[in-house]
Amino acid sequence: MSKKAEITALVPGASGWEIWQGQPSAGLTRRESSDVTHAGEILNLPNLDVVLFFPVKDATVLPFRAASADESLFADLAQMHCERMGIRTDPDAGKLIDSFVLETSTDSAVLATVALRAPQPGDMPTRSPKEFDYSPRAFAFPASGIAVWKEFGHWVFAFYQNGKMLYAQSTSNDAENPNDALLRDIKLALVQLSFQNIAISTDEVRIWHPAGDLGEAGSLTEALGVTAIVTRRPDPAISAIPSKLLPADVQALRRIAAQRMQIKIIASVAAIAVLSLIGWAGWDLSKLKKKTDDASAAAAEVQPQIEEYTKHKDKWNELGPVVDSQQWPVEILFNIAKSIPPVGGMRLKEARINNMEVDVKGSSQDSIPIGTFAVNIERNEALQRFKFDSPQRNNSSKGWEFTLKGEVPQIPK
């Protein structure tokens, strides 16, 4: 996107979507603030290229330390880290994972991986965006520390390292000012990152309050080791390092446009090909017909054997739950239990299992063993018949609770 061209930026605001406009190099100006929380309901967008900043709640940020400084490996390492943490993205939903380098050394690097939730109906504006990014990357942070602000009525926070986003998380907290519950969420995130050998410097804590300088820091005033600074949220800006996020519907539109261009080029070639085919008008069709008849006769001869084999296979599949020990519920539960990590305090609390479906519930002291548990199950050869969904997690004061579901894929008849 040209730095000189004027654009429209859609940015999640404190109560709804905000519309900003201007040249990226000269700065953006807010044109409108709304209470609309679905981008598809925004009307009368200017006839300009659109940049959409996804809200914090629409993505999961997974920072990690990669055991390599080779940039060509970063994309694969980020994908593997997401899967290890139990997060999978639909490959048919577009480019939903992007990673950003925060620091590198001779043999390692710290990456912030953003895993985007596939947009739902109404999440995308009526005018197809040309670029996408993540809202914490839109706001300038002067150093290393923590920023807190509101999106769509709820508090969100982000950790920054040398001005670059390292981590971000949304909350369900809609209090007027930051409170103890928000403070607990921030401290828990700091502890979880420390388990991954990622330390956060809190040189500054900034509250980008909807009320600007008139807002209050509440429970964050002195709680994080420095005095919190309360200001209005910075104006958004287009990052110098563009994001590669590209949801499927926009990806499809761009592919269609490219295909249309190819069709125009191919059309002239096809016309020449058609004229060439006319020269084959004297081709002997009887030879082709004879080969077709011979193949049909051979197929008819083996049809009875095919039908008998199909019946036998269907009958054997019906007896599977009785004759195949791998389909016994007790054996399935045993293999699930073997996949529990040896550390982390994970335990199973409830299980509903038959030869076609698995539904287990459990708890853990933190979220990392849950991701390890999901990876172990995927690698367990005795459970390969099942396709497991990503674990559904719920954080509470007692730790983490999760639900894991899997089923045997049904082959359409």
Side-chain angles (χ1 to χ4, degrees):
M1 180 177 292
S2 172
K3 291 293 184 180
K4 296 182 179 179
E6 194 169 80
I7 66 166
T8 294
L10 297 182
V11 181
S15 58
W17 283 101
E18 298 175 353
I19 301 176
W20 293 72
Q21 189 173 327
Q23 296 179 357
S25 59
L28 304 177
T29 301
R30 183 165 55 191
R31 298 301 184 191
E32 182 181 341
S33 296
S34 72
D35 293 327
V36 174
T37 58
H38 291 86
E41 299 176 6
I42 300 175
L43 304 176
N44 302 321
L45 281 175
N47 189 21
L48 299 169
D49 288 339
V50 175
V51 179
L52 175 67
F53 288 90
F54 287 105
V56 174
K57 67 180 180 63
D58 282 358
T60 300
V61 183
L62 300 169
F64 72 103
R65 185 175 295 277
S68 173
D70 186 349
E71 293 187 7
S72 65
L73 301 177
F74 287 169
D76 291 336
L77 291 173
Q79 181 76 42
M80 292 171 58
H81 180 67
C82 288
E83 293 180 356
R84 185 165 61 249
M85 299 302 292
I87 295 179
R88 295 181 180 86
T89 57
D90 184 354
D92 296 329
K95 174 70 174 178
L96 301 183
I97 291 181
D98 196 6
S99 58
F100 306 96
V101 180
L102 280 86
E103 64 177 49
T104 57
S105 61
T106 56
D107 56 357
S108 67
V110 175
L111 307 178
T113 298
V114 176
L116 182 66
R117 173 180 61 82
Q120 301 300 307
D123 287 349
M124 301 294 287
T126 53
R127 185 187 303 280
S128 178
K130 188 172 184 178
E131 290 187 11
F132 298 88
D133 213 321
Y134 192 43
S135 67
R137 284 175 25 91
F139 309 124
F141 194 89
S144 297
I146 302 171
V148 180
W149 70 100
K150 270 192 174 183
E151 287 186 354
F152 303 153
H154 296 89
W155 289 104
V156 301
F157 61 87
F159 302 152
Y160 290 88
Q161 180 173 305
N162 297 323
K164 300 178 181 179
M165 181 205 70
L166 172 66
Y167 178 79
Q169 182 178 319
S170 64
T171 75
S172 59
N173 193 322
D174 60 357
E176 181 179 358
N177 298 306
N179 57 15
D180 291 343
L182 180 60
L183 176 61
R184 284 195 300 270
D185 288 339
I186 293 174
K187 288 185 175 180
L188 179 60
L190 290 170
V191 171
Q192 290 175 335
L193 291 178
S194 69
F195 290 156
Q196 302 177 53
N197 196 29
I198 298 177
I200 307 299
S201 299
T202 53
D203 299 336
E204 291 190 6
V205 175
R206 290 181 173 259
I207 314 298
W208 295 333
H209 204 286
D213 298 343
L214 300 178
E216 298 180 8
S219 298
L220 304 185
T221 302
E222 300 283 352
L224 295 170
V226 296
T227 301
I229 302 172
V230 181
T231 64
R232 71 178 186 86
R233 192 196 66 191
D235 292 345
I238 306 299
S239 175
I241 302 176
S243 164
K244 299 183 182 68
L245 297 173
L246 186 63
D249 56 346
V250 178
Q251 187 179 44
L253 288 175
R254 295 184 183 179
R255 185 167 55 248
I256 291 171
Q259 289 173 347
R260 286 175 179 171
M261 182 61 69
Q262 291 178 348
I263 290 172
K264 291 179 181 179
I265 298 173
I266 293 172
S268 58
V269 179
I272 297 174
V274 171
L275 293 175
S276 300
L277 289 174
I278 294 176
W280 292 87
W283 187 64
D284 191 357
L285 295 177
S286 62
K287 292 182 180 180
L288 179 60
K289 184 176 185 305
K290 185 177 184 306
K291 290 182 180 180
T292 303
D293 291 342
D294 291 345
S296 298
E301 289 181 3
V302 300
Q303 185 62 31
Q305 291 91 325
I306 294 175
E307 293 177 354
E308 286 298 322
Y309 173 75
T310 301
K311 291 180 181 178
H312 174 76
K313 185 178 179 181
D314 290 343
K315 197 63 176 177
W316 183 257
N317 289 336
E318 291 179 6
L319 295 173
V322 178
V323 301
D324 184 3
S325 63
Q326 296 295 331
Q327 299 188 40
W328 296 349
V330 173
E331 187 70 18
I332 295 171
L333 180 59
F334 173 71
N335 283 290
I336 291 175
K338 288 202 307 183
S339 301
I340 296 176
V343 296
M346 176 182 291
R347 62 189 184 92
L348 300 181
K349 299 168 62 179
E350 181 180 336
R352 293 194 295 272
I353 300 173
N354 58 43
N355 67 307
M356 298 298 289
E357 294 182 339
V358 171
D359 187 348
V360 296
K361 296 181 179 179
S363 61
S364 177
Q365 295 175 358
D366 57 65
S367 65
I368 295 177
I370 300 176
T372 304
F373 176 57
V375 172
N376 291 345
I377 282 183
E378 288 289 342
R379 295 176 177 174
N380 193 320
E381 294 183 358
L383 300 173
Q384 292 300 305
R385 295 189 312 111
F386 296 93
K387 178 177 176 57
F388 288 91
D389 297 330
S390 299
Q392 298 180 4
R393 314 181 193 197
N394 181 35
N395 187 14
S396 68
S397 59
K398 298 181 180 179
W400 289 82
E401 296 182 350
F402 66 91
T403 300
L404 181 67
K405 296 184 179 181
E407 63 179 5
V408 178
Q410 299 296 305
I411 300 176
K413 297 183 178 179

